[in-house]
Amino acid sequence: MSTFPVILSAPSGGGKTTIARRLLERRGDIGYSVSCTTRAPRPGEVDGRDYRFLTRESFLAARDAGEFAEWAEVHGNLYGTLRAEVRRVLEAGRHVLMDIDVQGARQFHAAFPDTVLIFVLPPSGEVLLSRLAARGSEDREKLLVRLRNARSELGEVGHYHYVVVNDNLERAVDQVSAIIDAEGLRHDRVHEVEAQVEGLIADLEREIHDFSRGS
Ligand code: ADP
Ligand code: 5GP
């Protein structure tokens, strides 16, 4: 099986973290790339599982040492994907799932062109706001920053290969899962397809030969 990177992007509250978690529970062939961030942990978030929570100084030191495959400033905090993290998942024989913003997605795709880019859309602005407010992870001011940023993030949808509307969660997870399955069957990702087809043609020639002689 060929493995490849998969990026989920969405405006804040779009549901990418929830979809990613469900997908990881369902499929053993996918691993998650844990990002680094300078944002403070939310209640319940675990360092090393949800993010590696770094000070700004250590983030910048890692960036200057070239440790990030991509990085960006999002909603006033720094976020980045460690090269070592991507390698760890791919070397374990799994697709590497990343939850990263639109700027990071562009950078990563330029460096790794086999990446699959999936944009998760909320069903409506009203639903987006109500989900974000219900999550309760941001105060009113930070929530407004995220909603305002959502406008420009939505404008990047044209750079993505797939769009999934996160109305019904199970359906959205099914759709992302189906995209990964279909991408894995793409001709340019299937290793040794030529050798397989050559083998089939040789088989077929033998069959034709035998059949035409009436045996
Ligand atoms: P993101 O990671 O894109 O910022 P989250 O995954 O944290 O978004 O989702 C935002 C909130 O919306 C969370 O509280 C989550 O439980 C909820 N949520 C996500 N998808 C759905 C859905 N399909 N239906 C209802 N609530 C959802
Ligand atoms: P949150 O603070 O809600 O967890 O994430 C805020 C934004 O940062 C989201 O758009 C999320 O996808 C993005 N993000 C998370 N990790 C990374 C990363 O490693 N790189 C980039 N560029 N964005 C990230």
Side-chain angles (χ1 to χ4, degrees), residues 36-54:
C36 296
T37 183
T38 60
R39 150 165 99 56
R42 291 176 186 144
E45 280 185 334
V46 176
D47 187 37
R49 185 194 68 185
D50 300 293
Y51 279 108
R52 282 158 214 245
F53 295 99
L54 302 181

Side-chain angles (χ1 to χ4, degrees), residues 16 35 39 42 51 70 72 79-81 99-101 104 146:
K16 55 201 176 299
S35 293
R39 150 165 99 56
R42 291 176 186 144
Y51 279 108
E70 62 73 35
Y79 294 83
T81 303
D99 164 345
I100 68 181
D101 91 308
R146 285 174 178 251

Side-chain angles (χ1 to χ4, degrees), residues 51-127:
Y51 279 108
R52 282 158 214 245
F53 295 99
L54 302 181
T55 61
R56 209 173 167 91
E57 292 69 39
S58 18
F59 188 101
L60 293 176
R63 182 199 65 180
D64 295 344
E67 291 179 23
F68 291 124
E70 62 73 35
W71 69 276
E73 179 147 8
V74 192
H75 317 312
N77 294 299
L78 300 174
Y79 294 83
T81 303
L82 290 169
R83 292 181 194 284
E85 189 64 3
V86 175
R87 216 178 304 124
R88 175 185 70 77
V89 178
L90 290 175
E91 281 173 4
R94 297 191 168 104
H95 304 301
V96 59
L97 183 65
M98 285 169 282
D99 164 345
I100 68 181
D101 91 308
V102 292
Q103 310 166 72
R106 270 199 191 219
Q107 285 178 49
F108 195 90
H109 185 230
F112 301 91
D114 63 333
T115 307
V116 181
L117 302 174
I118 306 174
F119 201 95
V120 177
L121 283 178
S124 69
E126 192 186 357
V127 169

Side-chain angles (χ1 to χ4, degrees), residues 10-19 99 131 135 166-169:
S12 188
K16 55 201 176 299
T17 310
T18 309
I19 292 173
D99 164 345
R131 283 185 191 162
R135 189 173 73 187
N166 179 19
D167 188 351
N168 175 288
L169 182 61

